[in-house]
Amino acid sequence: MTNLIRRGFGAAILAVGAAMPLAQAQANVIDISTVTCNDLLTADEADRNAILFYIYGFDAGLRKDVKLNLQEVSNFSARLGGACATDRSQTVFEAIAKIAN
């Protein structure tokens, strides 16, 4: 495992704890289905990365894709950011539906 991947996973794991200002912070649980594009775009970098890694991993799991391709994560993030910029009030999952192939 490269240092980049270790740092990325470490940052993502640490960021999950930092993501608490979103949604249901008091319960230490975030219902990702309620996260809006505005929440994602205005979150700090650690929170945003944690959410993006979670969503990308969730989607990969549905596709039974067990490989982590950092370029695909980057491409996914850029496409999602573009979709979110068009309508900040939509949920992140609504934006994902718009960019799905």
Side-chain angles (χ1 to χ4, degrees):
M1 195 183 293
T2 68
N3 284 336
L4 174 64
I5 292 172
R6 279 189 217 138
R7 282 194 305 264
F9 278 127
I13 290 168
L14 291 174
V16 170
M20 292 308 116
L22 297 172
Q24 289 80 21
Q26 293 86 4
N28 293 329
V29 174
I30 298 171
D31 180 352
I32 297 295
S33 71
T34 66
V35 175
T36 66
C37 284
N38 190 62
D39 293 333
L40 183 66
L41 294 173
T42 59
D44 67 32
E45 184 177 6
D47 292 350
R48 190 171 42 253
N49 287 341
I51 292 167
L52 289 170
F53 262 100
Y54 176 86
I55 291 171
Y56 181 82
F58 179 84
D59 180 61
L62 291 175
R63 293 181 285 114
K64 298 187 185 329
D65 182 358
V66 297
K67 296 178 183 150
L68 175 62
N69 181 325
L70 295 178
Q71 186 60 50
E72 283 183 16
V73 174
S74 179
N75 292 343
F76 170 79
S77 297
R79 289 192 336 263
L80 181 58
C84 276
T86 64
D87 180 2
R88 289 176 170 247
S89 66
Q90 67 186 326
T91 67
V92 172
F93 281 136
E94 290 169 333
I96 290 169
K98 291 178 182 176
I99 64 170
N101 295 339

